[in-house]
Amino acid sequence: MSSPPDEYYTDDRWNNWLDRLREENIDPESDDSARLFFNLLDDATIAIAKVITDYEDGELDADAAAKELGRIREIVLSEVEIGNEEKLTLVDGIQTSLVCAFYTAEEYIVGGPAEEGTVEEHLRAAAAAEADEEDLDTALAHCVQAGTLIVEGEELGMDVAEEIEYGLVADWVNGLDSLGRALADPELVEEDE
């Protein structure tokens, strides 16, 4: 097993990232701030990817994988107290991105990859649902279906991702992109980078 039970992700790991964030000067235009955002996001999606991989390898059954995903979700989606509004916005963006990654992992474990459509078709449908109807449930469902295809090995074309207007779907796509990278190369993000 790639990770012992209860060690895919820990409260301490998440809190270490949050402590680092509290100490940093955040500038939305800064490469360092963007790198910190993606390191926090990638670190959590690597844990999700490891659960999926252990499930696929038969080291976890569906119930154990779902339980582990729930435990990780509880850690990273819990309310965070940070006094700085920009830092809180950064954490909110990370958590929003992770929502879709969690739903994707759960859907993949329960039902496997989407049987119809491509990553691109699902993401375009998600963007349309968000823009035209503000139907966020449908938008999320399409993102999750795209995500299951990414877990199965399909590529997330960045041309499609770049077309998506800023909003929840764009955040969810960040989570899917991070999950795809984590599945391709599940190395830990070093906290001192």
Side-chain angles (χ1 to χ4, degrees), residues 1-15 17 39-76 98 102 105 109 179 182-183 186-189 191:
M1 187 179 295
S2 66
S3 297
D6 299 330
E7 291 193 23
Y8 289 93
Y9 207 81
T10 62
D11 284 303
D12 285 346
R13 189 160 184 88
W14 178 245
N15 286 324
W17 280 111
N39 282 347
L40 266 128
L41 177 59
D42 290 349
D43 197 47
T45 57
I46 286 167
I48 297 169
K50 286 184 175 186
V51 172
I52 293 170
T53 300
D54 283 352
Y55 167 74
E56 289 177 324
D57 292 345
E59 296 177 25
L60 292 174
D61 65 19
D63 288 341
K67 182 178 179 183
E68 193 58 39
L69 288 169
R71 194 187 66 73
I72 299 166
R73 178 200 305 259
E74 194 172 300
I75 292 169
V76 300
L98 286 169
F102 280 112
I109 287 167
L179 183 59
L183 287 161
E187 294 301 319
L188 288 178
V189 177
E191 295 174 60

Side-chain angles (χ1 to χ4, degrees), residues 38 119-120 123-124 127 130 155-167 169-174 176-177 181:
F38 285 109
V119 170
E120 181 176 318
L123 293 183
R124 287 186 197 284
E130 181 182 29
E155 294 287 318
L156 169 62
M158 291 318 293
D159 52 329
V160 177
E162 290 168 4
E163 292 173 16
I164 295 172
E165 297 288 327
Y166 180 75
V169 171
D171 282 339
W172 294 333
V173 169
N174 280 339
L176 295 179
D177 181 42
R181 287 193 315 271

Side-chain angles (χ1 to χ4, degrees), residues 4 28 48 58 78 89 101 125 127 135 154 158 162 167 169 193:
I48 297 169
S78 62
T89 300
D135 183 354
E154 282 194 34
M158 291 318 293
E162 290 168 4
V169 171
E193 282 183 0

